[in-house]
Amino acid sequence: MAEPVYRRVVIKLSGEYLAGPQPFGIDQPTIDRLAGELIAARDLGVEVSVVIGGGNIFRGVEVSTRGVSRPTGDTMGMLATMMNCLALEAALERKGQPAKVLSAMVMPEVSELFTRAAAFRSLAEGRILLLGGGTGRPFFTTDTTAVLRAGELGAQAVLKATNVDGVYSADPKKDPNAKRFDRLTHSQALAGGYKVMDATAFALARETDVPIIVFSIAEPGSISAILNGTGRGTIVAG
């Protein structure tokens, strides 16, 4: 078996993906399939950490336009990410894979607080890390959280799971002439205004020199393929 290209990664998943075909909430078949994909990645010998959004349950930015303050709305969104982490932890452990939820927010009855020491200890134990609560502060997305945690943990890449197989010049579902990029620099991604990640995440990735690989999570086995260097995606680096 070929050695994986990356040995420690942070995988960024949207909360909306966990809803599956439903308009909101958690779709159990979807989360079970995702758990299997993560276990296959861990079985390659890769240390896996996961950052999940909360958009399938709550979107703080949208609520803040209806009278709730942005800090309060973002805090509610961060709590939604914890629900997703707990659901995924249960799915992983049902399949026999040890997992650990670490939170950026202090909630001792629910999970341990994220620290680098706690994260490294869990990774050394062979656990899949589920990093909830965003950054613990408002105004930052879970995209930025993923890049931040990658820098803190010395991850070799952030794997940004989307519904398309890379970064395009326009939405390929709306524009049949959209150009797909195999590779971009962080600066090119920022200048192009590509919406696959927010500008703060791209800027932090550039500052910390963390590559971002954008790929489609809808394709079975796509996480393992990216880790093995055979998957289809866009590399944002340099």
Side-chain angles (χ1 to χ4, degrees):
M1 181 182 296
E3 286 292 308
V5 177
Y6 307 103
R7 301 310 300 252
R8 180 183 296 159
V9 297
V10 173
I11 300 172
K12 169 59 176 64
L13 296 165
S14 73
E16 287 89 341
Y17 176 74
L18 299 188
Q22 304 175 101
F24 61 88
I26 296 172
D27 180 63
Q28 199 59 53
T30 297
I31 205 167
D32 285 340
R33 184 183 82 80
L34 175 59
E37 297 268 349
L38 294 173
I39 292 169
R42 181 68 194 90
D43 287 345
L44 294 174
V46 177
E47 294 182 344
V48 176
S49 299
V50 183
V51 171
I52 314 174
N56 57 317
I57 298 172
F58 190 91
R59 293 189 67 85
V61 174
E62 292 178 4
V63 171
S64 67
T65 66
R66 300 197 292 269
V68 176
S69 72
R70 175 67 185 274
T72 298
D74 283 357
T75 299
M76 296 167 75
M78 287 186 277
L79 292 172
T81 72
M82 288 298 298
M83 296 181 196
N84 284 336
C85 283
L86 292 170
L88 184 53
E89 179 186 47
L92 287 165
E93 294 192 338
R94 278 197 304 272
K95 292 178 178 291
Q97 169 60 53
K100 178 77 170 181
V101 176
L102 296 178
S103 171
M105 309 168 76
V106 178
M107 46 178 69
E109 291 83 7
V110 177
S111 77
E112 188 176 346
L113 184 68
F114 172 84
T115 64
R116 293 179 71 240
F120 285 134
R121 182 169 60 249
S122 292
L123 289 173
E125 292 169 351
R127 298 180 183 274
I128 291 177
L129 276 183
L130 306 170
L131 305 176
T135 65
R137 295 292 182 269
F139 303 107
F140 293 100
T141 67
T142 47
D143 283 346
T144 299
T145 302
V147 178
L148 174 64
R149 296 296 183 236
E152 290 177 299
L153 298 177
Q156 294 171 304
V158 170
L159 275 55
K160 166 71 174 183
T162 71
N163 59 1
V164 292
D165 59 351
V167 179
Y168 285 77
S169 58
D171 187 342
K173 295 182 179 179
K174 298 178 180 178
D175 183 355
N177 297 316
K179 176 186 176 183
R180 181 184 170 278
F181 303 102
D182 287 325
R183 193 175 187 96
L184 291 167
T185 66
H186 295 117
S187 295
Q188 286 171 330
L190 278 166
Y194 305 118
K195 302 300 184 183
V196 69
M197 288 189 102
D198 66 83
T200 303
F202 277 134
L204 182 58
R206 179 176 62 184
E207 182 178 338
T208 55
D209 198 27
V210 173
I212 299 168
I213 296 92
V214 181
F215 70 104
S216 172
I217 189 63
E219 198 67 33
S222 57
I223 295 176
S224 294
I226 291 293
L227 293 172
N228 282 326
T230 60
R232 180 176 170 85
T234 298
I235 298 175
V236 183

